[in-house]
Amino acid sequence: MASLPEQTDWIDGAWTTGHTRWIDVIDPTTEERLAAVPAGTAADVEPAVAAAGKAFGHWSAVPLESRIAAARAIAKGLSARHDEIAATITAEVGVPTWFSQRVQASLPAATSAAVAAAAEELAWTEQIGHSTVVREPVGVVAAITPWNFPLHQAVAKVVPALLAGNTVVLKPSETAPLTARFLAEAVHDAGIPDGVLNIVHGEGPVVGEALATHPDVDMVSFTGSTAAGKRVAALAAGTVKRVALELGGKSANLVLPDADLHAAVRAGVANCFMNGGQLCWAWSRMLVPAALHSQAVAAAAAEAEAFTVGDPTQPDTRLGPLASAAQRDRVRGYIERGIADGSQLAAGGPTPPDGFERGYFVRPTVFAGVDPAAVIAQEEIFGPVLSIIPYSSEDEAVEIANATRYGLGGAVFSEDPDHALAVARRLRTGQVDINGAAFNTAAPFGGYRQSGNGRELGRFGLEEFCEVKSIQRPASA
């Protein structure tokens, strides 16, 4: 993709001007400048929050049916620009075009439609004895989103927040901020009033922290690393804001002895390397029976070797570059740590793929015989690195799966669906996929423990942006 023009903040229905400091957006394939966005300051947050606060009274009073129609219009507007969105995400994140087309550019419209349907079914008012219980908007919401699924993560926060009657200030990641304009334009074209959605670009420690501490921001919805989420929560505590956190993960793919090993390994590798391994619920640990360890390792190594590394715009590429130089260096560092700690390198390694010294490329990597307590088995790597861990019994497997500080995703493979369900219930994690079941945009998504709190998507994601009021009236005589 050719270099794009600078993109500015969107405040009170207009693109801003007069910025003096900019952040370059780098193409991870070529390491060349792709575009730029403003390096926002705390001062830039003020007019955005003020616009959202001013718009809240009117927008929160708009009938629910009109807000649902607006959400569906947003979905339609994003669908109409599907190919342009996909090309932009490939350019700024580095994921292959086929994945951007199939997933990255398709999820935003799907999640918008799903939450609109959920809004029609939600009990916004209910009677409990002599009390009328109503769900109302929280107020001004700060949405702070990551770079790995840039538009999907923004839509998963913004659309349910707007549906519930809130107004929003969105801070996209400075690494991949370019799709935010598609959302702003879709919101505008849907007829949503000025000030209901505002966008402020900049770095997390500056703009993000200004939003988290702002006295006129009523809620922060954050997706990112666990460390950054802890910081946001601590800052937001000063004004007792509502905080929703979707954080890191170290998901286990638990392969039971009766599973179709080939199918489980194939799906496991794919769900570890998806999006370059840059997804919080990646199945980055594969737990296999000790007696099947060698077979699983051989199959996983073969699958990894089949992940063609290359230019993400080419149709045969399965693994493009990682999103940034910092992420590339982080992942290579973990691979080196795994080797140093004695894990067996079955595929890949820390050196650049052949022919790709330029660009943020990493080899798809598989480690075997990994100690469950090893660093690579405990910490979120956020790259195409799989740790295969042998276990001796089902109880030990469940114990290993639960023995991290995270609890976001997981998987179970078994030929006995009832047994698989029983094991899935034992996993301390917010989402478990059995035998490679498909992602559900209407089901709740979120984690246990240090993977965060709160839920996104569908009805549960919508309720996250609601306050609950109880109104008591005298009981009838």
Side-chain angles (χ1 to χ4, degrees), residues 426-442:
R426 297 178 67 188
L427 301 184
R428 297 284 296 162
T429 181
Q431 177 171 304
V432 183
D433 301 326
I434 292 176
N435 293 337
F439 187 75
N440 184 355
T441 56

Side-chain angles (χ1 to χ4, degrees), residues 26-94:
I26 304 300
D27 184 328
T29 304
T30 65
E31 300 187 40
E32 295 176 356
R33 180 184 180 278
L34 184 64
V37 294
T41 66
D44 295 313
V45 168
E46 291 298 331
V49 174
K54 181 180 178 182
F56 175 72
H58 169 70
W59 179 246
S60 61
V62 167
L64 175 63
E65 294 76 12
S66 297
R67 298 201 302 266
I68 291 173
R72 291 202 165 108
I74 292 171
K76 185 176 179 180
L78 294 175
S79 292
R81 304 184 72 177
H82 176 276
D83 290 351
E84 189 180 358
I85 290 168
T88 302
I89 293 173
T90 291
E92 66 178 351
V93 181

